[in-house]
Amino acid sequence: MKRALITGVRRIGYHISRSLLESGWRVGVVYKGFREPVEKLREEFGNRVVGLAADLSLWEEGKRVVEEVVSLLGGVDAFLHLSSPYEATPLELLREEQVDLHFKPIAQAFLAIGKEVYPYMLQNSGSVKGRFVAFGDWATNTTPYRNYSAYFIAKGALHTAVKVLAKELAPHVLVNAIALGPTLKPPDIPENKWQEYINKTPLKRPVSIQDVVKLTHYLLEVESMTGEIITLDSGRHVAGECT
Ligand SMILES: NC(=O)c1ccc[n+]([C@@H]2O[C@H](COP(=O)([O-])OP(=O)(O)OC[C@H]3O[C@@H](n4cnc5c(N)ncnc54)[C@H](OP(=O)(O)O)[C@@H]3O)[C@@H](O)[C@H]2O)c1
C-alpha cells in the first residue's frame, strides 16, 4: 500500500487526498488549524488517514511531520506540497511578517520537509523510490499580477526549488510541480471578480478538480520526468497581460 505525505488539505488537497485514498493509498495530511477536512477523510477512510497539525512556517516542524508520518504509516512514497497562504500585500504596505507568512510555508517548508523525507524514500524498493509534487501558480514565471508580491516571490522560490531538488535527489526521487490557474475561488475574492479571471482564460472555464487530480496521479506514476513545472490553467498563460 503506497503512502503519501500531503500538506495543505483544506480544498484542492482534500480532493487529491480523497482520490489517493480511493486508489488504496494511506495518507498523512498536514494542516495548520482547520481540521474539518481531516475529520471528513477519517470518517470515510478510517485509520488509513493520519492528521497532523503543524505550522510549516517553523523549519523544525518539517522534521517532526516527516518522522511522525513515517512512524505511523511505515514509510513514505510521495510528498505533495500544497500548503500556501494567499494574501494581498500591496507593496506600500508590505512588511517582513507578510514575506515570512508566505515564504516559509510555501518555499522553505518544501525544502525542510524534502530534505527530511528523502532519506526515508531511499529505503523504498525499485528504481524510482519516491516522488515530490509541488503546487505552484501559472502567473509566477510569466506575468505576476499586482498586489501579491509576497505570494509570487514565495511561489517563484518554490518553482526554483523544484528544479534544484530534481537535480539533488536524482536518480531515485522525481520532483515535479503543477502550476495551477484559477481552480477554486479564494474566499475573499468577490464572485464577479472571479468570473472576470475565468473569462480571461481562453477556455472560459476554471481548471477542473478532476484534471488536477488526474495530473497529480500521472506525476505519481511517471518514471521519466523530473524538474518539470506543468501549467494547468485553462490556457490562461497564453492570454496575455494581468493587471
Ligand atoms: N485555488 C486556486 O484556484 C489556485 C490557483 C493557483 C494555485 N493554487 C495553489 O494550489 C494549492 C491549493 O490551493 P487551495 O485553493 O486548495 O488552497 P487553500 O484552500 O487556500 O488551502 C491552503 C492550505 O495551506 C495551509 N497552510 C497555510 N499556511 C500554513 C502554515 N503556515 N502551515 C501549515 N499549513 C499552512 C492551510 O492550512 P489550514 O487549512 O489548516 O489553515 C490550507 O490547508 C496552493 O498551493 C495554491 O497556491 C490554487
Side-chain angles (χ1 to χ4, degrees):
M1 198 181 278
K2 294 262 190 191
R3 304 139 304 182
L5 164 54
I6 308 178
T7 70
V9 290
R10 188 180 280 248
R11 304 191 310 159
I12 295 172
Y14 169 80
H15 292 286
I16 291 171
S17 301
R18 207 170 165 279
S19 169
L20 290 179
L21 286 156
E22 282 172 341
S23 304
W25 287 61
R26 301 182 71 201
V27 300
V29 290
V30 180
Y31 62 100
K32 186 179 175 198
F34 185 64
R35 198 178 153 83
E36 204 178 302
V38 181
E39 293 305 336
K40 276 167 63 186
L41 292 170
R42 283 185 63 86
E43 266 168 40
E44 205 175 344
F45 299 99
N47 64 8
R48 284 204 285 131
V49 183
V50 170
L52 294 169
D55 180 357
L56 295 178
S57 297
L58 304 169
W59 176 266
E60 60 276 14
E61 286 291 76
K63 186 174 171 62
R64 183 181 68 85
V65 298
V66 170
E67 284 176 354
E68 287 198 25
V69 164
V70 167
S71 111
L72 292 163
L73 302 184
V76 60
D77 302 281
F79 164 37
L80 281 64
H81 186 55
L82 296 96
S83 78
S84 171
Y86 178 69
E87 292 188 8
T89 54
L91 205 54
E92 64 279 12
L93 302 176
L94 188 64
R95 298 281 174 274
E96 186 181 4
E97 308 86 79
Q98 293 156 326
V99 175
D100 284 351
L101 179 97
H102 290 83
F103 190 84
K104 290 184 171 179
I106 292 175
Q108 178 183 290
F110 187 62
L111 288 175
I113 295 175
K115 78 180 271 290
E116 297 297 333
V117 85
Y118 173 63
Y120 290 107
M121 285 181 172
L122 288 184
Q123 294 171 20
N124 297 332
S125 60
S127 164
V128 177
K129 297 175 187 296
R131 293 174 173 87
F132 292 12
V133 181
F135 286 75
D137 191 297
W138 76 273
T140 302
N141 293 137
T142 51
T143 50
Y145 40 88
R146 285 181 200 282
N147 292 329
Y148 285 84
S149 54
Y151 169 79
F152 278 123
I153 287 164
K155 287 291 190 190
L158 178 66
H159 287 200
T160 301
V162 166
K163 293 177 185 292
V164 169
L165 291 187
K167 207 161 191 179
E168 295 268 2
L169 309 189
H172 295 303
V173 172
L174 278 50
V175 185
N176 292 294
I178 301 175
L180 284 176
T183 308
L184 295 178
K185 185 182 88 57
D188 57 340
I189 291 183
E191 193 58 54
N192 61 337
K193 198 83 197 152
W194 179 247
Q195 204 48 55
E196 265 178 43
Y197 296 159
I198 302 304
N199 288 340
K200 282 185 182 165
T201 69
L203 299 182
K204 308 288 183 218
R205 54 180 180 262
V207 174
S208 78
I209 286 290
Q210 290 84 343
D211 282 349
V212 180
V213 167
K214 276 192 242 169
L215 184 53
T216 305
H217 277 272
Y218 175 73
L219 291 177
L220 294 177
E221 286 160 19
V222 73
E223 306 227 325
S224 320
M225 182 195 294
T226 196
E228 198 60 59
I229 295 164
I230 302 175
T231 303
L232 180 64
D233 68 347
S234 293
R236 180 63 186 85
H237 69 287
V238 295
E241 206 182 319
C242 294
T243 48

